Amino acid sequence: MSIEIIQGLLIPFLGTSLGAACVFFMKNQINPMVQRGLLGFAAGIMVAASVWSLLIPAMEQAVLGWGEMLSCVPAVTGFWGGILFLLLLDHFIPHQHMNSDETEGICCNISHSAKLVLAVVLHNIPEGMAVGVVYASWYMGASDITLGAAVALAVGIAIQNFPEGAIISMPLRADGLSKGKAFFYGVLSGAVEPVGAFVTMLFAGIITPVLPFFLSFAAGAMLYVVVEEIIPEMSEGEHSNIGTIMFAIGFSVMMILDTTLG
């Protein structure tokens, strides 16, 4: 594995870790309006990444093996695979969202803090998969994915991981954990990304023709998280357009990264 790949797989994790470090410098609670804005920003980046960095390259790669008329087949199949995979994880993994008292997933006797961390882990799994499969595509010589495109995706996810790291570590601090433990669990929630990226790279790198399926699979998984988890959270409470505006900004940032680096 080249140094470029190792660095790329660690970039999103670095974003989460730096965000989690905010617990040492900020108050225990994030202003609800700020939190909604950060969530909207993260959602915008994830949607743009799903389209430009994953679905479009999946269809472009599929043209070679399936022809232009059927290039959507692996994209749609993989997309639904990602949706159903996250649906299963959401159903089985016990977790709890920040502004909810309801535990989702299988009922088990774990702490409230652990459930908050697992909710963020669910967010991070598809992001790690996305980075892994894009780097695998570049490594396998896919003509439509350059190293710059892979770096753009990793940087974009790292940017949106920064507020996510703060959004998890600071509620954990407010939940009674020390700053050190809140930071540790925030970092731990992001550790799933390089692990997921590495595992995805291993599977995607076995046979080149499956890359379009893996690219669209990661896109489906990310969009599931956006629609099921992030958008509802950014729309909670008093009506405000801040989440929508920040969504548009995040979307634009990811578009610019993909255009300039990709």
Side-chain angles (χ1 to χ4, degrees):
M1 185 179 294
S2 67
I3 187 66
E4 292 93 344
I5 292 177
I6 295 173
Q7 290 172 341
L9 300 191
L10 291 176
I11 288 173
F13 175 61
L14 178 62
T16 303
S17 301
L18 291 174
C22 289
V23 73
F24 294 112
F25 310 105
M26 299 173 68
K27 295 179 180 179
N28 294 345
Q29 294 283 0
I30 298 179
N31 183 284
M33 195 71 71
V34 173
Q35 181 172 311
R36 275 186 275 171
L38 295 176
L39 287 169
F41 181 79
I45 284 184
M46 291 175 73
V47 171
S50 298
V51 176
W52 269 274
S53 300
L54 299 170
L55 286 175
I56 291 177
M59 287 186 283
E60 290 175 347
Q61 288 184 26
V63 169
L64 300 175
W66 292 73
E68 197 163 329
M69 289 289 292
L70 297 176
S71 62
C72 64
V73 172
V76 172
T77 304
F79 177 83
W80 271 100
I83 292 284
L84 295 175
F85 176 67
L86 258 291
L87 180 64
L88 285 174
L89 291 184
D90 195 31
H91 181 73
F92 286 109
I93 294 179
H95 61 285
Q96 185 172 329
H97 299 289
M98 287 170 290
N99 300 322
S100 173
D101 296 326
E102 180 183 351
T103 298
E104 300 180 26
I106 295 176
C107 184
C108 65
N109 188 25
I110 61 175
S111 68
H112 178 251
S113 298
K115 293 174 185 176
L116 289 176
V117 172
L118 286 173
V120 178
V121 167
L122 273 174
H123 287 203
N124 289 338
I125 288 174
E127 295 167 10
M129 292 167 52
V131 173
V133 72
V134 169
Y135 269 93
S137 297
W138 167 72
Y139 186 72
M140 298 293 289
S143 59
D144 54 324
I145 294 183
T146 64
L147 177 59
V151 172
L153 177 62
V155 170
I157 290 179
I159 291 172
Q160 67 96 18
N161 275 352
F162 181 85
E164 278 195 354
I167 287 172
I168 182 58
S169 65
M170 294 176 69
L172 288 173
R173 171 61 176 157
D175 205 36
L177 295 183
S178 67
K179 289 185 177 182
K181 282 188 176 180
F183 170 71
F184 172 75
Y185 284 121
V187 171
L188 189 64
S189 72
V192 69
E193 291 197 16
V195 173
F198 179 72
V199 172
T200 304
M201 272 202 68
L202 290 180
F203 282 102
I206 294 173
I207 309 173
T208 303
V210 305
L211 287 175
F213 292 93
F214 274 93
L215 285 165
S216 53
F217 184 95
M222 285 219 295
L223 288 177
Y224 177 92
V225 168
V226 171
V227 176
E228 172 69 14
E229 309 289 355
I230 298 181
I231 290 179
E233 288 182 15
M234 83 178 198
S235 304
E236 288 177 346
E238 183 181 350
H239 174 72
S240 170
N241 294 324
I242 185 65
T244 305
I245 293 171
M246 292 301 293
F247 176 95
I249 292 174
F251 194 95
S252 301
V253 167
M254 190 63 227
M255 266 200 306
I256 292 169
L257 283 173
D258 190 75
T259 303
T260 56
L261 297 180

